Amino acid sequence: MRRAVCPGSFDPIHNGHLEVIARASGLFDEVVVAVSTNYAKKYRFSLEERMEMARQTLASLRGIIVEPMGEGLLAEYCRHRGISAIVKGLRSSSDFDYELPMATMNRQLSGVETVFLPAEAHYLHLSSTLIKEISLLGGDVSDFVPKSVLKRLLGGESGAEQPRKG
């Protein structure tokens, strides 16, 4: 069985993520969407909320598993789970410059390969950070996120600050 992982914090998951994960599901028998927590980051949504949004959004795709990545190195996670490939979406050359050293190190640490998928042109500008900022300031992000994510962004289900009116 060909298994891959699409790691990320997914805070929140957006249409660019979905596009890469859907393409990965066509290349691999099973794709694990490993939701990570970077303790240096401030999250809008809890780990449980991020996993639930991913599960709701990806339910229609075959061979997708959503789970927490847990503590430690991605290379060790892959070795422990029997995963042979990491799938990363690239929006720009700066993404490649950032991801290449990590891909090389992951291969040296555990033999796992990294597959880079270029993002579709209409998703090149998307980032979770930008989506959160636009939403917080009252902008419309409905074209960029799945409905379950939009509902949480608008409903404030995470207890995060809401946009100020007026």
Side-chain angles (χ1 to χ4, degrees):
M1 175 183 279
R2 296 172 304 153
R3 303 178 79 212
V5 64
C6 288
S9 57
F10 304 110
D11 185 44
I13 194 165
H14 57 68
N15 293 344
H17 293 132
L18 301 180
E19 186 261 334
V20 168
I21 294 166
R23 288 169 52 203
S25 75
L27 297 172
F28 296 93
D29 300 315
E30 184 176 271
V31 175
V32 178
V33 175
V35 182
S36 64
T37 299
N38 177 342
Y39 295 101
K41 286 185 175 183
K42 182 177 179 184
Y43 290 98
R44 167 97 186 251
F45 298 103
S46 70
L47 175 63
E48 292 76 23
E49 289 173 308
R50 291 181 281 134
M51 288 179 34
E52 181 59 27
M53 286 185 285
R55 284 186 183 115
Q56 288 172 352
T57 302
L58 298 166
S60 65
L61 293 176
R62 68 160 187 81
I64 302 291
I65 296 171
V66 178
E67 65 183 31
M69 192 177 105
E71 302 284 326
L73 297 172
L74 179 58
E76 287 303 313
Y77 173 85
C78 291
R79 184 189 339 254
H80 175 73
R81 298 280 284 119
I83 293 171
S84 60
I86 299 166
V87 175
K88 299 293 264 180
L90 298 179
R91 297 170 293 183
S92 67
S93 60
S94 61
D95 281 354
F96 181 76
D97 291 342
Y98 177 78
E99 296 290 349
L100 184 61
M102 288 190 289
T104 303
M105 184 60 76
N106 285 329
R107 186 176 62 246
Q108 289 181 353
L109 289 173
S110 67
V112 66
E113 293 291 346
T114 300
V115 176
F116 294 119
L117 296 178
E120 287 293 329
H122 53 279
Y123 296 131
L124 292 177
H125 63 293
L126 292 186
S127 74
S128 295
T129 301
L130 188 57
I131 287 169
K132 287 185 292 191
E133 184 175 340
I134 291 168
S135 175
L136 186 63
L137 295 172
D140 181 11
V141 295
S142 59
D143 288 341
F144 312 127
V145 296
K147 288 179 184 174
S148 64
V149 173
L150 183 63
K151 180 179 176 182
R152 287 181 188 253
L153 284 169
L154 295 177
E157 295 178 29
S158 69
E161 281 187 48
Q162 291 303 299
R164 292 181 177 91
K165 304 287 182 189

